[in-house]
Amino acid sequence: MNGPEYRVPSVELAGVTRTYLEGTAEEVHALRGIDLTIGSGEFVSVEGPSGCGKTTLLNLLGLLDAPTAGEIRWDGRSVGALTDRARARLRLEGVGFIFQRFYLLPTLTARENVELPMRALRVPRADRVERARELLREVGLTERERSYPHQLSGGEEQRVAVARALANRPGLLLADEPTGELDSGNTRAILDLLVRVREARKATLILVSHNPEVAARAGRHLTMRDGAVARDLREA
Amino acid sequence: MKERRLSRGRALRHSRLQLALAVAAIAAAVSLPVVLISVGGGVSAHELANLQSAGSQIVVSTSGLHSIAQSHTLAQQILRIGSVTAASPILSVAIDAFNATGSVDPVLAEGVIPAEFLPTVSPVERALFPSPLPLGEPTDLVHFDNGTYGGPANYSVIISTPYAQHANLTVGDRILLAPSPNPALGVEYNITGVFGVPPTVIGPTGAFAVMLPLSDLQVLTGYGPAATSPVPDGSDTIQVSVTGAAATHPAALQNVVDAIQQLVPKYSVSTLSQQVQQLEAASGVLTGFYVALSSVGLTIGLLFLALVLLRRVESDRRSIGIRRAIGLPGRMIASEILRAGLAISVAGALIGILVGWAVVEGLATWATSTVQEAAQLAIFSPVVLTEIALGVAGLSLLAGALAARSALRLEIGEALR
């Protein structure tokens, strides 16, 4: 479960632009020529007002989307122009997503949700069950492995989501407002959990949040405005 | 959060309702061909079996209103061909029968030469008739040996068991037979016997039949009083039975057919196997018709399935988006949709087969006579049922592929919103 199993890439954006509805009257410039390098193992918070391009940036970093212009590189290798299938494979093996609304599959139990990414990698059933249980134990949900998402509290759902994000030992963890729907107690618990797993695995963690308490835990702070990085601040 | 769960519960119930409707649509679409093909196939097989046990290997016939002229003379000529053991002219005419109560029933009258008829039918059919046929006359052959018929008629008739039961008639009763529903044109006959009829899909009313000497029927059906005008020597069919090599070797039988055809170049001369082939071809056409008719229902069912699957993709867009965001391969997402379509169609097909079977059983138990008898002949062939189920399953993959394509085209970011 520790470092060597995790492949932690450095991520680089060079002149990345993302425009929606390009060429139409409703054209939206979500990102405008972003140049950014995030080193392996960094903990970066992304802040900024609504609509400034935080989620678009996260989607591009996580290969959920492709740039309209510019280049995205993982460990120096261009990935922005990969096929859908190749991007999906990289996401499966290298990226763990944690969403504001948890996005657990309602028809699967907590353990099955955690097993899902491993199933896609054809991990043998016994191995993936063992690992899913281990991850659920790590996030404090040993007793809830057979519960369905609707039987869990918001904090528990997000902990399952964290366990799922870690299932395939990703080197890059992307969290989009992971505490946005949680109370302060659960916010602190989830944040502690994210910090703990990042440190244990030396993974890169990029976290979008409006919450200053959350952002304060990061070592680097990106502030975005109008689709561009307005400030890039590193903790001493 | 609570509101989201309630909404999720409603969505789940809605989704279940859609699934149930899709299964019901497929089941309804499958039950139709099950009923049509099982009943149609059963009836065809039954008629084929009847034909194959008919006994007469060759039939000389004519179509339309034109009768076989000089049929007695022709029968005598056919009898002189080697291997021919019997040749029986037959005239089939629909007439009216008046019983003692004055009620009238349409019946099928068969005019035969008593001594020649029975040797041309199969042992199974022969067992249905009294032997020899109690039709009184020495035989029509005697009359025709001297040229045209000169009478007098003996006025003997035998009637079918279903008609005897219907009209409450027994041997010794008298019955008025007429060429039309006008009793003034009728001639009174003595009932001298009854004969059975094989099970048939045309129902008991269709099995109302009488049999009388050929010449008597010719007189009865409007060619004038026998004493004053000659009767045309005609029939619509001559049944011929053969023996020896002709009975077992197609080539030898064809020689006999050719010999008869030389005698009557303008008439149709067909063998039993040819008639079987014709019936099988007709049966094949009917099956094709059933399949075409059923395909309309199946198409509607599968379109409904495609719509339900597309609707599921739409309602599951977030789940699909989550799977794709995690990085699950497209084939895994597509296979889940295909499996869902397959499960719905297989469940629908199985239920449809059960419903079809239940409908046929219901018809065989409670339907009106003709439909009931047809349903009782139904054959549920496992091969055909499997083909129907596999066909539906195969087509459902097309519907699933359509939905899978739509799922894989979802924008992940859009789907997660």
Side-chain angles (χ1 to χ4, degrees):
Chain A
M1 285 256 313
N2 287 326
E5 294 174 345
Y6 288 75
R7 188 182 142 272
V8 185
S10 63
V11 184
E12 188 182 347
L13 276 64
V16 167
T17 295
R18 181 64 173 104
T19 307
Y20 295 108
L21 303 172
E22 193 177 24
T24 70
E26 294 86 32
E27 194 172 80
V28 176
H29 298 283
L31 293 182
R32 302 164 187 267
I34 290 199
D35 295 305
L36 178 68
T37 301
I38 297 173
S40 175
E42 274 194 277
F43 180 3
V44 182
S45 74
V46 183
E47 300 149 48
S50 290
C52 69
K54 302 187 296 292
T55 298
T56 301
L57 176 67
L58 216 59
N59 287 347
L60 288 171
L61 288 169
L63 308 183
L64 290 182
D65 198 0
T68 311
E71 196 169 49
I72 301 174
R73 289 189 281 267
W74 278 27
D75 290 335
R77 177 182 160 217
S78 177
V79 293
L82 292 175
T83 61
D84 279 351
R85 181 184 288 193
R87 284 214 303 269
R89 186 74 186 181
L90 273 181
R91 278 200 302 277
L92 185 63
E93 291 178 340
V95 185
F97 285 98
I98 301 150
F99 301 98
Q100 178 178 359
R101 290 184 185 169
F102 329 132
Y103 289 157
L104 299 180
L105 294 180
T107 53
L108 303 182
T109 63
R111 197 190 76 206
E112 288 165 344
N113 265 288
V114 178
E115 283 182 48
L116 189 62
M118 293 185 275
R119 270 179 56 197
L121 277 187
R122 297 177 186 273
V123 175
R125 181 177 156 73
D127 292 350
R128 66 173 193 250
V129 168
E130 186 190 343
R131 176 153 173 80
R133 284 184 172 146
E134 195 179 324
L135 287 165
L136 286 172
R137 186 168 61 245
E138 193 174 344
V139 299
L141 289 175
T142 304
E143 307 299 320
R144 306 292 264 156
E145 69 167 85
R146 289 177 195 275
S147 300
Y148 286 88
H150 70 272
Q151 297 168 320
L152 301 172
S153 69
E156 287 172 330
E157 281 195 82
Q158 192 60 300
R159 279 190 276 163
V160 174
V162 171
R164 182 182 64 187
L166 297 172
N168 283 342
R169 301 177 171 91
L172 179 61
L173 287 172
L174 300 174
D176 191 359
E177 303 269 14
T179 58
E181 295 212 349
L182 303 179
D183 57 33
S184 58
N186 274 313
T187 293
R188 203 164 302 116
I190 289 296
L191 202 57
D192 288 344
L193 176 64
L194 284 175
V195 170
R196 196 170 71 241
V197 296
R198 186 195 75 83
E199 285 172 354
R201 292 162 176 76
K202 310 292 182 220
T204 304
L205 173 60
I206 303 173
L207 185 148
V208 169
S209 181
H210 281 109
N211 187 335
E213 185 192 350
V214 174
R217 306 284 285 268
R220 182 178 174 189
H221 306 272
L222 295 179
T223 305
M224 295 192 66
R225 191 159 292 120
D226 298 329
V229 177
R231 192 173 60 175
D232 184 353
L233 191 67
R234 291 171 195 268
E235 295 283 324
Chain B
M1 187 72 74
K2 189 180 175 188
E3 193 178 311
R4 208 168 72 209
R5 281 178 189 152
L6 281 174
S7 151
R8 195 181 291 166
R10 276 197 296 272
L12 201 62
R13 280 197 297 279
H14 189 61
S15 162
R16 281 180 187 159
L17 180 63
Q18 281 185 351
L19 288 181
L21 286 173
V23 169
I26 299 284
V30 167
S31 62
L32 180 66
V34 169
V35 172
L36 288 177
I37 292 174
S38 61
V39 175
V43 169
S44 296
H46 175 76
E47 294 303 310
L48 209 55
N50 275 352
L51 183 59
Q52 283 168 328
S53 64
S56 59
Q57 289 98 335
I58 299 171
V59 174
V60 182
S61 61
T62 181
S63 59
L65 296 171
H66 304 287
S67 64
I68 297 174
Q70 302 299 322
S71 62
H72 285 73
T73 311
L74 177 58
Q76 298 286 23
Q77 290 174 321
I78 291 171
L79 273 170
R80 285 196 283 274
I81 296 172
S83 301
V84 173
T85 55
S88 173
I90 297 173
L91 177 62
S92 302
V93 188
I95 63 170
D96 290 285
F98 298 81
N99 61 31
T101 63
S103 68
V104 58
D105 293 297
V107 296
L108 177 69
E110 292 234 319
V112 300
I113 296 172
E116 286 295 308
F117 174 70
L118 284 185
T120 64
V121 299
S122 70
V124 175
E125 276 197 76
R126 200 175 303 156
L128 299 170
F129 291 92
S131 183
L133 292 177
L135 291 176
E137 304 214 12
T139 73
D140 272 64
L141 287 174
V142 173
H143 299 300
F144 280 90
D145 280 345
N146 299 319
T148 54
Y149 176 68
N154 186 269
Y155 303 118
S156 296
V157 67
I158 59 175
I159 63 175
S160 69
T161 309
Y163 180 59
Q165 289 168 346
H166 167 77
N168 199 23
L169 294 168
T170 58
V171 173
D173 289 344
R174 296 178 72 77
I175 185 171
L176 190 68
L177 301 179
S180 67
N182 180 2
L185 299 174
V187 177
E188 203 164 59
Y189 276 74
N190 298 313
I191 298 171
T192 56
V194 291
F195 62 92
V197 289
T200 173
V201 294
I202 54 175
T205 311
F208 289 179
V210 300
M211 183 173 278
L212 60 164
L214 175 61
S215 51
D216 288 9
L217 184 60
Q218 289 174 340
V219 171
L220 182 70
T221 48
Y223 290 99
T228 57
S229 64
V231 177
D233 177 7
S235 68
D236 51 43
T237 304
I238 297 176
Q239 286 187 180
V240 179
S241 62
V242 295
T243 189
T248 51
H249 295 291
L253 182 63
Q254 190 59 44
N255 287 338
V256 178
V257 169
D258 293 343
I260 296 173
Q261 191 74 75
Q262 278 188 339
L263 294 173
V264 284
K266 292 181 179 173
Y267 296 151
S268 161
V269 182
S270 58
T271 63
L272 184 64
S273 60
Q274 285 169 336
Q275 290 183 42
V276 167
Q277 283 171 4
Q278 284 168 1
L279 187 58
E280 281 176 339
S283 173
V285 169
L286 270 180
T287 303
F289 173 72
Y290 297 151
V291 170
L293 192 64
S294 306
S295 68
V296 176
L298 281 175
T299 303
I300 293 170
L302 288 163
L303 280 176
F304 192 79
L305 175 64
L307 284 175
V308 165
L309 291 176
L310 284 169
R311 180 78 185 82
R312 283 194 76 187
V313 167
E314 188 56 32
S315 60
D316 287 354
R317 54 188 288 139
R318 178 164 292 170
S319 289
I320 292 166
I322 294 167
R323 286 175 161 86
R324 293 189 59 199
I326 290 170
L328 264 59
R331 62 178 157 70
M332 199 168 164
I333 294 166
S335 75
E336 281 181 22
I337 294 168
L338 292 176
R339 276 207 304 272
L342 204 58
I344 291 170
S345 65
V346 168
L350 291 178
I351 292 171
I353 288 170
L354 284 176
V355 169
W357 173 80
V359 167
V360 172
E361 289 297 309
L363 292 174
T365 308
W366 293 299
T368 54
S369 56
T370 307
V371 176
Q372 185 181 46
E373 285 169 30
Q376 283 168 349
L377 295 171
I379 295 172
F380 292 96
S381 157
V383 173
V384 172
L385 297 180
T386 306
E387 282 173 356
I388 291 173
L390 286 178
V392 170
L395 289 172
S396 78
L397 290 177
L398 284 178
L402 197 67
R405 182 170 170 268
S406 166
L408 296 178
R409 286 182 147 200
L410 279 179
E411 285 284 333
I412 300 175
E414 282 290 316
L416 291 177
R417 265 180 207 157

